[in-house]
Amino acid sequence: MNDGAKADAQWFIMTSLDPKDSEEQIKKENLRRSESVADSFQYFVPYQFLKRRIANVELKNQETSDETAEEEPTFYNPKNKADVVANNQIRSALRRYIFVKAPENELVNFLHGDWNRFTFNRLQFYLDKEHRRVTVSQQMMDKFIEACTDYKLQFELWPSVDDIRKNEQVILNTTAFRGEKAHILEVVHTKGGIKLTIGIDLFSGTMLLRLPNVSERDIIRNRKSTGRIDENRLIESTQKSILAILSRQVHRKQTEESIPKDATTLDTIYNYRYHRIEGDAARRHFLALMLICAHLRRDSVGRSELTAMARRELELINARSESKAATDVRTYLQIALYIATGNPEYRTAAKEYIKEHEPKSKALRQFVKLIKIRQTI
């Protein structure tokens, strides 16, 4: 997997006995770099990204090991349990590895910090037989990250409970009743999200246990798996997160607590830039979101690459008649290009589209409102 090309920023294979702590240190470094207007390190941690899965309740006691004792497993009920086995095998094989894209000299300086020199669980370069630092080509990383994100999407695609109804059967993913089947007794919409009251039948149905204030993260919806990734939900979830982070920046409502959380969210979202979206409209919409994400992460290289891609897509759209070109998707690209480049022509075009066509998309209108508030993001 060695890559002979020595670009300014390369993907390095690294190892750590504590990948979770190493990831936290990289996050801290990215925050420091952001404050000094330096490019963030891009990183990928398969061990943290691919959560351990348990196929069903019966397997619960069979799937324990010292490497996962500190974590909460994800229960899943697929048609093909081989998917769960494959996920766990990949995760186990990669548990010590972290992939970091950064200029070599900057990464070396980072590793020389006291946080790493004086600890047993050191983050260090992975070396080949000749003791050379092993790098991975961008093309190989694209494929690798895409494979891992596909696994994650198949299992954990940000479940939405917007359409959940009373009496729907679910599986609990928390409390002492983890893995037990339950029914939705009540659905309450609050500012903080949806709160559920769950009912569990005890003692052969002779007693009903009510659990109030259960969140969407505490349940698994008992639906049949189609084996396909719901890309619309991926785009919607990504857009919701980016819109919230952008809004905090524009309105200057960031806090000491929100800044690291937002950085972590952006780092996670950014890994999905390698996921292949079917359909021109969805692909272009997702590209616009990834460009905004790259800008918010202060990734100048990624921003440059995605800007070029977005401009090419915009040219293809503009080559059509104006009646066919004037779409929400074109406006998403214009918004992203304005945020990434600061060119006011993109912002003007987006504002004119909203004024003339009054699109139904609430998210699109929110994006345009945000870029109208501040000219520099």
Side-chain angles (χ1 to χ4, degrees), residues 151-358:
Y151 269 106
K152 184 178 180 70
L153 287 170
Q154 289 169 3
F155 286 99
E156 301 175 349
L157 184 57
W158 293 303
S160 172
V161 294
D162 290 344
D163 61 340
I164 201 164
R165 297 288 183 269
K166 288 181 62 174
N167 299 319
E168 180 178 331
Q169 188 179 77
V170 296
I171 299 174
L172 283 176
N173 195 33
T174 187
T175 77
F177 296 96
R178 177 192 295 273
E180 294 292 332
K181 293 181 179 179
H183 287 84
I184 303 297
L185 300 179
E186 186 178 13
V187 181
V188 178
H189 294 264
T190 70
K191 291 183 178 180
I194 295 176
K195 292 297 181 182
L196 308 170
T197 298
I198 304 294
I200 304 175
D201 288 323
L202 300 178
F203 311 120
S204 301
T206 60
M207 181 181 295
L208 179 70
L209 175 65
R210 293 173 60 94
L211 297 178
N213 297 320
V214 175
S215 73
E216 59 185 287
R217 296 291 183 183
D218 298 328
I219 64 169
I220 298 172
R221 301 188 72 177
N222 192 22
R223 292 177 170 177
K224 294 182 179 180
S225 174
T226 62
R228 297 181 57 192
I229 294 171
D230 187 343
E231 293 178 339
N232 288 332
R233 184 176 295 178
L234 169 63
I235 293 172
E236 289 173 4
S237 299
T238 301
Q239 180 167 268
K240 182 178 180 181
S241 296
I242 289 179
L243 194 55
I245 294 171
L246 186 66
S247 178
R248 278 191 284 275
Q249 290 200 13
V250 168
H251 292 290
R252 304 188 187 279
K253 291 187 175 181
Q254 296 170 291
T255 64
E256 292 184 2
E257 181 180 359
S258 71
I259 289 174
K261 286 184 178 180
D262 288 349
T264 298
T265 299
L266 291 171
D267 286 342
T268 300
I269 287 174
Y270 204 52
N271 286 314
Y272 287 96
R273 63 176 289 200
Y274 304 102
H275 183 68
R276 297 174 184 173
I277 301 289
E278 298 294 334
D280 287 343
R283 177 175 54 80
R284 288 164 173 164
H285 187 176
F286 194 63
L287 170 61
L289 295 174
M290 289 299 101
L291 175 53
I292 297 172
C293 183
H295 177 82
L296 294 175
R297 290 187 71 254
R298 298 186 183 278
D299 180 359
S300 63
V301 175
R303 179 173 54 204
S304 177
E305 293 173 352
L306 293 169
T307 294
M309 293 171 62
R311 281 173 169 159
R312 286 196 297 269
E313 295 294 342
L314 192 58
E315 288 176 0
L316 291 173
I317 294 174
N318 288 336
R320 308 168 68 182
S321 65
E322 180 59 25
S323 61
K324 293 183 178 180
T327 61
D328 286 10
V329 171
R330 182 174 72 169
T331 308
Y332 276 117
L333 288 171
Q334 291 167 338
I335 292 167
L337 284 167
Y338 169 71
I339 291 173
T341 69
N343 187 335
E345 293 181 4
Y346 294 124
R347 184 177 62 146
T348 299
K351 289 165 58 179
E352 289 178 352
Y353 177 79
I354 296 295
K355 183 178 180 180
E356 181 177 350
H357 296 274
E358 299 182 348

Side-chain angles (χ1 to χ4, degrees), residues 47 52-54 59-73 88-89 91-93 95:
Y47 178 64
R52 182 168 63 98
R53 272 83 187 193
I54 292 180
L59 292 178
K60 183 174 182 179
N61 294 328
Q62 302 174 22
E63 293 264 351
T64 56
S65 66
D66 56 352
E67 74 175 62
T68 54
E70 80 284 358
E71 298 188 43
E72 295 293 337
N88 291 342
Q89 287 176 339
R91 182 174 182 272
S92 178
R95 66 180 302 265

Side-chain angles (χ1 to χ4, degrees), residues 2-49:
N2 281 327
D3 182 7
K6 294 296 183 180
D8 290 341
Q10 305 174 78
W11 279 103
F12 289 92
I13 302 179
M14 315 198 75
T15 60
S16 173
L17 293 177
D18 190 348
K20 186 174 182 179
D21 178 69
S22 295
E23 182 184 14
E24 289 302 316
Q25 295 297 335
I26 295 174
K27 289 177 183 177
K28 292 179 181 178
E29 173 65 10
N30 277 346
L31 283 175
R32 185 194 68 77
R33 297 173 71 84
S34 177
E35 292 172 354
S36 61
V37 199
D39 284 355
S40 297
F41 291 162
Q42 188 178 348
Y43 66 91
F44 185 69
V45 190
Y47 178 64
Q48 297 297 334
F49 199 76

